[in-house]
Amino acid sequence: MSPTQAMERSYAALKQLLRDGAFAPGYRLEANRIAEELGVSMTPVRDALNRLAGEQLVEASSGEGFHVPRPGEAELRDLYEWNSALAVMAASTARIKPAAGAVEEVMGADTLADATAACFVLLAASSPNAELRTAVARASDRLHPFRIAESQVLEPVLGELEELLDPSPRRPAAIRRYHLARMRAAGELLRARSGL
């Protein structure tokens, strides 16, 4: 396996584990242990960890190594606020219609967290702005472990995701309402994510 392939494989595996909430907040990510588990050398794992730190999925600190982020309530509310602003911006710049069956595909995802992630990716895909699409994908990755916890904390709202994809003038209000509910539940989401 080439060094690039080893790094990409390490990056993809670690990113999926982080999105799935496989590591508790604050967990120390030891490159040598991860390399051993993935069957690669430490160099591609370190490269992957640095790349993930750039995407804010991992925190790096001098002398402390790499850790899973441990946001507080204010930081989690800020992240939901950021995602809300990005989604409203994507909705307001939408120029591209979703492919036939795209909404049905979103609703057919295996889990609500996966459907939510796909919903925001689809919403962003309607914007011609590539920077906006990248920002939505990165915020979505960071929110994914909390979206998994949402099912334990929030009452399901029938049609909530469909409202986010509805191109009517009511969509910005639906986006805002969706995020405000999660911002109000930030403390509970943090506790559920931490398993407390």
Side-chain angles (χ1 to χ4, degrees):
M1 178 182 325
S2 77
T4 301
Q5 289 173 321
M7 197 284 280
E8 288 300 327
R9 194 178 110 208
S10 300
Y11 168 78
L14 277 168
K15 184 173 184 174
Q16 190 60 51
L17 288 168
L18 291 161
R19 287 184 83 248
D20 290 344
F23 307 111
Y27 180 84
R28 184 165 188 234
L29 299 163
E30 297 177 26
N32 57 348
R33 185 182 309 164
I34 294 168
E36 191 174 296
E37 289 174 11
L38 295 177
V40 297
S41 70
M42 278 194 5
T43 300
V45 170
R46 278 196 199 122
D47 290 345
L49 286 167
N50 279 307
R51 183 173 168 187
L52 291 163
E55 295 175 14
Q56 295 179 292
L57 286 168
V58 167
E59 291 178 345
S61 54
S62 182
E64 300 278 327
F66 297 94
H67 293 83
V68 175
R70 186 190 310 247
E73 281 186 50
E75 289 92 358
L76 183 56
R77 278 194 294 274
D78 287 349
L79 183 53
Y80 275 112
E81 181 74 37
W82 173 238
N83 196 67
S84 177
L86 292 171
V88 168
M89 204 178 333
S92 70
T93 62
R95 303 280 184 275
I96 304 162
K97 287 191 174 195
V103 174
E104 291 78 15
E105 189 175 316
V106 165
M107 297 308 146
D110 291 339
T111 67
L112 181 57
D114 289 338
T116 303
C119 173
F120 283 101
V121 167
L122 183 59
L123 179 61
S126 66
S127 172
N129 188 318
E131 290 293 329
L132 183 56
R133 292 191 302 269
T134 299
V136 168
R138 287 192 174 171
S140 199
D141 286 339
R142 292 171 60 204
L143 282 169
H144 201 77
F146 299 100
R147 287 178 176 155
I148 293 169
E150 286 176 10
S151 62
Q152 302 167 35
V153 173
L154 300 170
E155 292 294 322
V157 178
L158 192 62
E160 190 175 40
L161 294 183
E162 290 90 340
E163 282 186 336
L164 301 179
L165 295 173
D166 178 15
S168 77
R170 296 184 308 270
R171 181 163 52 182
I175 291 169
R176 193 74 189 129
R177 191 170 45 252
Y178 169 92
H179 286 90
L180 285 172
R182 281 134 186 94
M183 290 164 66
R184 282 191 292 271
E188 293 175 78
L189 288 168
L190 284 168
R191 286 187 289 281
R193 163 72 176 101
S194 298
L196 301 176

